Amino acid sequence: MYNKFCKKQLWECSRDLVSVAMGRIPAETVIKNAKLINVCTKEILENTDVAIHSGRIALVGDASHCIGESTKVIDAEGMYIAPGMLDGHIHIESSMLSAGEYARSVIPHGTTGIYYDPHEICNVMGFKGVELMIKDAERTPLKAMLTLPSCVPAVPGFEDSGASITSKDIREQLKLDSVVGLGEMMNFPGIQFSNEETHAITGATLEADKIVTGHYSIPDTGFGLNAYIASGVRCCHESTRREDALEKMRLGMYAMFREGSAWHDLKEVSKAITENTVDSRFACLISDDTHPHTLLEKGHLDHIVRRAIEEGIDPVEAVQMVTINCAQCFRMDNEIGSITPGKCADIIFVDDIISFNVKKVIIDGDLVAENGKMLYEFPEYQYPEFAMNTMHVGETITPDTFKIKTDKKKNVKVRAIEIIPARVGDYERQVTLEVKDGLIESDTNQDVLKTFVFERHNNTGTHGVGFVKGFNIKCGAMASTVAHDAHNLLVIGTNDEDMALAANTLIKCGGGMCAVQNGKVLGLVELPLAGLMNVKTAEEMSDKVANLDKAWKEIGCDIVSPFMTMALIPLACLPELRLTNRGLVDCTKFTFAELEVDE
């Protein structure tokens, strides 16, 4: 695959690289006295030098003969060096940061490249939004490799998003320089049942000789998984059980082990390696969704490598899983993913193989970060006004909006969505609620709360109604426009007045997340950029998120990253029961479900 992400293409500088390696011309930079984590052979090589020229590696070994008067020499002083780390699946929007601020946050942690799927902003604004993300990312040294959003909306016919992407659109967008593949193919039923349009999307990607990334979230490792992989899908980040990850690897699919702010799958899926005698070459470590406070407090891929080591994965294997394995998954290992001659000079310095604290970061031969701070300055980017004005709710929301009527007299049995903390799945439950004056109310004693999803893109005035269980809220309401994947306005609460206040607070500020109690806004994260992001720094956004987290705790919720778990309630491609602006969706049968259960 032709790599357009390096400072110079290999064919442009191969003669110079040879001359540096042979000692005929001096290297621009030489790293001395390093312990090389060699991901090609899974070993650590002591006292290793690296010669760099034209943004690429000319020599690995003894580089004494490559040093001239103009050569910059970096003494590693016995530190470990490893290839720059690669995140094989990430949604920048989930960080609530713009693409530029995201790059500024992750590069000091050793991330030199990401394979990002901007399907969040695409669901709101279509490819106009994606183009803005590309322009924002291009000004940074981060290798931002785009996988085109494949499922907009995520599950056609079950929700309304702000855009609709067709195979014709995909075929055209595949021509963009920054595109390396197709974003997660969430419509696995469309693949399995040979839907013509779904296969046209993956087919166009394969015809363009690019990678199809996957999303296979059901616990089926038999013929369904085989069929999905046979369609050309190369990787999947949705494994939550060790057997899921193991079977995917056995079938030649790259299993991406996820550890994000809310989705803590690594503890379980790492057992696919630690409890089996298998080769880990088809395993990658990825973040998927990471909030700003996680990036600041724990890190990015450096944190996930540490977590993998804690779970018993060999340290060098863990490094392989964020470098060469990922590069091979995207068929880019001829350019990135290892410290070997000819490759891009993306190199990180770490103090210790276990603690894995990143001390220096080099991208394309340039020192861009040191001791947790960016050294590279890049120009500001101004998002256009239309990207900051995306709240188009076609109804006036009042407390009366949240009244749920029923014909039942005393009690009614309803379907409820029970969340699973720190996991992406949920359970369908049937609960009996009391009827008062013909209305169904929240029941905090059973931890069952009213839930509404309002269409917010095209002024349709539609909304879905349901109940959710598991947040342990005793009084108050929460609202969010981060509501995967259509990102409509999601509201949960114990009472109609607080729910109306939460909804209208977000409509007024252009989108975001908030928590309300007794007529007062306790926490608010404004996300005016597509209702998903803010252009403020990670530090500023982390403070806002921390305040929101405090507000959640104040109203009774104590689960990890509750706003991220809440955001999955409308995602109709995850089992078992979800709620969109069109209603409840049975995500095991992919049919709509009635709120009331007939007895």
Side-chain angles (χ1 to χ4, degrees):
M1 183 180 290
Y2 185 46
N3 178 15
K4 301 173 183 177
F5 301 94
C6 292
K7 180 186 292 186
K8 281 190 177 182
Q9 299 304 310
L10 184 56
W11 58 265
E12 295 179 285
C13 58
S14 59
R15 291 183 66 207
D16 285 345
L17 293 178
V18 169
S19 293
V20 170
M22 296 298 292
R24 289 192 291 266
I25 62 174
E28 293 173 354
T29 303
V30 167
I31 300 169
K32 296 283 293 181
N33 305 317
K35 297 176 183 176
L36 171 64
I37 301 175
N38 192 312
V39 295
C40 299
T41 54
K42 192 187 167 185
E43 59 183 334
I44 296 173
L45 304 178
E46 302 277 349
N47 300 316
T48 301
D49 303 341
V50 180
I52 299 168
H53 198 279
S54 300
R56 290 179 177 267
I57 296 166
L59 176 144
V60 179
D62 181 357
S64 301
H65 65 293
C66 304
I67 299 174
E69 291 184 3
S70 61
T71 302
K72 178 183 179 181
V73 178
I74 300 175
D75 190 345
E77 299 177 330
M79 282 194 288
Y80 293 82
I81 59 172
M85 293 186 286
L86 306 169
D87 194 333
H89 180 72
I90 176 66
H91 304 289
I92 293 175
E93 303 97 315
S94 293
S95 71
M96 294 177 272
L97 304 173
S98 65
E101 287 303 320
Y102 177 83
R104 202 188 305 274
S105 299
V106 301
I107 288 172
H109 289 285
T111 301
T112 60
I114 59 171
Y115 295 88
Y116 73 112
D117 178 354
H119 70 206
E120 322 294 4
I121 198 169
C122 192
N123 267 277
V124 178
M125 300 172 58
F127 277 121
K128 287 192 304 181
V130 175
E131 289 165 5
L132 296 177
M133 295 278 282
I134 294 171
K135 291 177 181 177
D136 190 2
E138 281 176 343
R139 65 198 173 100
T140 80
L142 182 69
K143 289 178 168 63
M145 294 161 283
L146 176 63
T147 60
L148 286 173
S150 63
C151 299
V152 178
V155 186
F158 290 94
E159 62 185 349
D160 293 291
S161 62
S164 181
I165 301 304
T166 67
S167 58
K168 182 179 179 181
D169 298 323
I170 293 293
R171 189 173 291 277
E172 185 62 30
Q173 296 296 322
L174 282 164
K175 299 174 185 177
L176 294 173
D177 285 348
S178 57
V179 174
V180 300
L182 188 70
E184 55 180 304
M185 175 43 71
M186 293 178 285
N187 189 7
F188 55 85
I191 292 291
Q192 290 176 329
F193 292 101
S194 297
N195 175 269
E196 184 176 352
E197 174 65 6
T198 308
H199 278 268
I201 290 172
T202 56
T205 309
L206 296 172
E207 185 180 353
D209 195 30
K210 297 183 187 293
I211 300 304
V212 178
T213 69
H215 172 118
Y216 193 77
S217 58
I218 59 176
D220 163 35
T221 56
F223 61 84
L225 177 60
N226 275 264
Y228 188 65
I229 297 172
S231 73
V233 180
R234 189 165 173 85
C235 57
C236 176
H237 62 279
E238 288 293 337
S239 299
T240 58
R241 307 178 305 163
R242 72 192 83 177
E243 54 265 40
D244 299 335
L246 181 59
E247 194 59 29
K248 286 168 185 173
M249 291 190 291
R250 283 172 170 165
L251 295 173
M253 171 181 265
Y254 283 84
M256 294 179 160
F257 296 9
R258 174 173 52 195
E259 189 78 0
S261 291
W263 328 131
H264 299 170
D265 297 324
L266 188 54
K267 185 175 184 64
E268 175 64 24
V269 296
S270 64
K271 296 173 184 175
I273 293 173
T274 60
E275 296 185 358
N276 295 280
T277 308
V278 296
D279 196 312
S280 61
R281 75 179 70 184
F282 278 92
C284 301
L285 299 173
I286 60 101
S287 63
D288 195 2
D289 299 297
T290 308
H291 274 167
H293 63 285
T294 303
L295 294 175
L296 289 175
E297 294 175 10
K298 297 181 179 179
H300 184 220
L301 291 172
D302 54 338
H303 162 61
I304 301 176
V305 167
R306 289 190 288 269
R307 282 286 300 112
I309 294 170
E310 287 173 1
E311 295 300 334
I313 292 177
D314 176 85
V316 178
E317 278 188 293
V319 175
Q320 288 175 316
M321 291 163 70
V322 288
T323 56
I324 194 167
N325 292 12
C326 184
Q328 288 176 337
C329 173
F330 286 91
R331 292 194 283 116
M332 294 177 67
D333 55 301
N334 62 318
E335 296 275 36
I336 56 179
S338 65
I339 299 178
T340 50
K343 308 302 187 295
C344 296
D346 300 340
I347 300 169
I348 64 173
F349 294 64
V350 295
D351 59 352
D352 181 76
I353 191 69
I354 304 298
S355 58
F356 212 77
N357 296 309
V358 177
K359 296 300 184 179
K360 298 179 191 288
V361 182
I362 291 174
I363 299 180
D364 289 336
D366 297 323
L367 182 65
V368 296
E370 189 169 16
N371 295 323
K373 302 294 182 182
M374 279 290 291
L375 303 177
Y376 186 100
E377 294 295 329
F378 43 87
E380 295 298 317
Y381 179 77
Q382 186 71 41
Y383 278 88
E385 182 59 32
F386 69 82
M388 312 295 282
N389 181 26
T390 61
M391 292 298 292
H392 307 295
V393 179
E395 59 182 301
T396 301
I397 297 177
T398 69
D400 286 345
T401 305
F402 298 96
K403 295 188 183 304
I404 305 175
K405 297 179 181 179
T406 181
D407 294 331
K408 301 294 191 301
K409 300 303 180 184
K410 291 185 177 181
N411 298 302
V412 60
K413 182 176 285 188
V414 300
R415 290 181 171 85
I417 299 166
E418 183 174 0
I419 63 166
I420 307 173
R423 301 292 287 273
V424 298
D426 69 21
Y427 301 118
E428 177 182 333
R429 302 300 191 201
Q430 295 183 2
V431 297
T432 300
L433 298 176
E434 186 179 350
V435 176
K436 298 178 182 178
D437 300 323
L439 300 175
I440 312 173
E441 300 291 349
S442 297
D443 185 346
T444 56
N445 291 326
Q446 295 189 73
D447 190 18
V448 177
L449 306 180
K450 287 182 181 179
T451 306
F452 281 63
V453 177
F454 298 88
E455 195 279 326
R456 63 107 170 168
H457 305 293
N458 300 301
N459 293 306
T460 63
T462 61
H463 65 252
V465 180
F467 288 88
V468 71
K469 182 177 175 63
F471 285 110
N472 200 33
I473 304 299
K474 300 304 181 185
C475 179
M478 308 84 71
S480 178
T481 54
V482 180
H484 302 289
D485 272 339
H487 298 293
N488 287 306
L489 174 57
L490 169 63
V491 187
I492 300 172
T494 65
N495 66 87
D496 301 342
E497 290 73 19
D498 280 347
M499 293 177 78
L501 175 59
N504 286 311
T505 297
L506 296 190
I507 291 172
K508 183 178 180 180
C509 73
M513 303 180 294
C514 70
V516 170
Q517 187 179 63
N518 295 327
K520 180 182 177 182
V521 178
L522 301 181
L524 171 64
V525 178
E526 302 96 335
L527 301 174
L529 177 51
L532 301 170
M533 295 170 282
N534 201 309
V535 295
K536 294 183 182 297
T537 66
E539 288 79 8
E540 291 173 301
M541 293 307 296
S542 180
D543 287 343
K544 287 181 175 291
V545 172
N547 187 55
L548 179 63
D549 191 60
K550 180 181 176 182
W552 272 81
K553 288 181 171 64
E554 192 171 332
I555 62 176
C557 184
D558 59 359
I559 68 171
V560 63
S561 294
F563 27 83
M564 198 171 269
T565 301
M566 173 182 168
L568 291 188
I569 286 170
L571 188 49
C573 61
L574 290 175
E576 297 179 351
L577 185 68
R578 303 285 162 172
L579 176 67
T580 75
N581 70 294
R582 295 194 184 186
L584 286 168
V585 182
D586 182 331
C587 298
T588 61
K589 300 177 182 176
F590 289 97
T591 59
F592 284 106
E594 294 295 328
L595 176 61
E596 296 186 19
V597 180
D598 293 329
E599 296 187 81

